[in-house]
Amino acid sequence: MTGLLFAALAPKAALAKPRKKPFVINPVFQPQYVPFDSSYAPGTVVIDPRGRFLYLVEDEFTARRYGVGVGRAGRAFHGAAKIGRKEKWPRWVPTKNMIRRQPEKYARYADGVAGGSHNPLGARALYLYRNGRDTYYRIHGTTEPWSIGRAVSNGCIRMVNEHVMDLYARVPVGARVVVI
């Protein structure tokens, strides 16, 4: 009888969709306060692309650390900038260089993508400016949280959406950003 019961249930079980495991970020990339011996002023954002961390300096000995995804080799911002503007659920437009490098992937988005849950910039974006001009580099959320801790982007700094929302609330326009 057990064999008949199993046989009767087998087709239904075969049709059932397997459950997708929810993504869980490595705890090291969760926001946390860490010792940070710094000569940077409180409120400065310091990004360490090699370590895959962004630090918000709290005082001369402490920073709030976030895990980030960074640009692929040759596509990363270096040096100092300021946050020139901030946007909630920002509109995304691929750069001309992105379209030129990979037209099959980006040309269809040349007119941009409205803000929302499927937008590559995620929930928030902090726009990096240098000498009063937009650098086209951003600190932003992502629809691909598994990319945190990797060098995969076109140069921007990616964060988990909840983490960039936290940073967005803590950092004002005009804050200094240093990529080491």
Side-chain angles (χ1 to χ4, degrees):
M1 186 93 141
T2 307
L4 290 175
L5 181 61
F6 177 76
L9 295 176
K12 290 180 183 175
L15 295 175
K17 291 184 180 179
R19 289 188 181 189
K20 188 175 179 181
K21 288 175 59 177
F23 174 76
V24 177
I25 191 164
N26 183 328
V28 74
F29 294 125
Q30 290 287 358
Q32 55 195 285
Y33 289 99
V34 296
F36 193 75
D37 193 10
S38 173
S39 60
Y40 298 108
T44 302
V45 174
V46 179
I47 301 167
D48 174 8
R50 286 175 296 286
R52 313 292 200 262
F53 292 111
L54 179 151
Y55 299 88
L56 174 57
V57 177
E58 295 286 322
D59 57 42
E60 61 183 304
F61 304 109
T62 310
R64 184 158 174 83
R65 185 180 77 187
Y66 304 84
V68 296
V70 298
R72 292 182 195 105
R75 296 187 188 161
F77 179 87
H78 294 285
K82 291 197 180 285
I83 296 177
R85 70 184 178 107
K86 301 181 345 178
E87 295 290 333
K88 293 181 179 180
W89 297 106
R91 177 174 177 75
W92 173 72
V93 179
T95 66
K96 290 178 183 174
N97 282 338
M98 290 168 69
I99 295 170
R100 183 181 43 77
R101 276 193 310 267
Q102 293 181 282
E104 70 286 351
K105 184 174 183 178
Y106 296 114
R108 65 181 165 201
Y109 303 116
D111 292 331
V113 177
S117 62
H118 298 291
N119 183 304
L121 293 183
R124 304 288 184 272
L126 295 89
Y127 295 71
L128 303 185
Y129 280 62
R130 185 183 278 162
N131 300 321
R133 298 184 67 191
D134 189 352
T135 64
Y136 295 99
Y137 287 97
R138 317 279 185 248
I139 300 169
H140 64 80
T142 184
T143 56
E144 301 173 340
W146 55 88
S147 67
I148 302 306
R150 299 179 181 192
V152 295
S153 79
N154 279 293
C156 292
I157 303 299
R158 292 180 178 187
M159 300 177 73
V160 171
N161 278 330
E162 291 80 9
H163 302 175
V164 78
M165 291 167 73
D166 179 71
L167 180 69
Y168 181 99
R170 295 170 185 272
V171 178
V173 169
R176 185 170 185 231
V177 177
V178 179
V179 181
I180 54 175

